[in-house]
Amino acid sequence: MSLTLDTPTDAELPTLVEIWEAAVRATHHFLPESDLQMIKPLLREQYFPAVQLTCARNEAGRILGFLGTSEGMVEMLFVDPTCHGQGVGKRLMRHAIDELSATRVDVNEQNPQAVGFYQHLGFVVTDRSRLDGGGRPFPILHMSLG
């Protein structure tokens, strides 16, 4: 699959929210609906403005996934679930590592697919937090490039 990476426009941010929600529903089975609905508006209000966003587009220009980085940390990586396993996340992560000097990522312990994905890319668990960044009881694994 041929992918182009670039920065999404403000008008495309709703598309990123849609991809986030679809990906979370497909992979974060532990997250209650109430938490998902609480987090969703924070994406546009707080989370997107705090990171450097990069999106991956197919040949037709459709956004298939996106990445948010800040100071060497991958803060978010979400891929349209219909594209999982097709290299979109890997391409975004290679960009984060090779071009943006990202060496760290936090991942929900209860998302074994994501943990395995990052391990496959060379990340190792360096620490664990009992609670997520919002103080909820979803353990976070802190990973760094090995």
Side-chain angles (χ1 to χ4, degrees):
M1 176 184 308
S2 177
L3 296 172
T4 304
L5 302 186
D6 64 17
T7 303
T9 65
D10 285 346
E12 293 173 316
L13 295 181
T15 300
L16 301 191
V17 173
E18 289 171 13
I19 290 170
W20 172 85
E21 183 171 1
V24 167
R25 289 187 185 283
T27 60
H28 292 60
H29 305 291
F30 56 89
L31 192 66
E33 181 68 23
S34 58
D35 284 8
L36 188 142
Q37 293 304 326
M38 182 201 60
I39 295 167
K40 191 173 172 179
L42 298 178
L43 291 168
R44 295 270 313 262
E45 297 167 11
Q46 295 178 21
Y47 301 150
F48 290 166
V51 297
Q52 177 180 340
L53 289 170
T54 304
C55 65
R57 301 173 189 273
N58 66 8
E59 301 85 357
R62 181 174 156 250
I63 298 174
L64 305 180
F66 69 94
L67 169 80
T69 58
S70 177
E71 299 176 3
M73 177 88 170
V74 173
E75 297 286 353
M76 57 184 77
L77 173 66
F78 294 96
V79 174
D80 182 327
T82 64
C83 300
H84 283 180
Q86 297 179 28
V88 177
K90 185 175 182 180
R91 175 78 168 84
L92 284 163
M93 283 302 295
R94 288 269 39 110
H95 174 74
I97 293 164
D98 298 339
E99 306 298 323
L100 305 176
S101 304
T103 59
R104 296 171 290 123
V105 65
D106 286 350
V107 62
N108 289 98
E109 184 177 64
Q110 293 157 295
N111 185 351
Q113 283 179 300
V115 174
F117 170 77
Y118 292 120
Q119 287 173 331
H120 181 73
L121 292 175
F123 286 81
V124 295
V125 176
T126 57
D127 202 3
R128 179 182 184 271
S129 297
R130 210 170 40 79
L131 304 175
D132 71 6
R136 294 176 296 266
F138 307 121
I140 298 294
L141 298 178
H142 307 286
M143 302 179 80
S144 294
L145 277 177

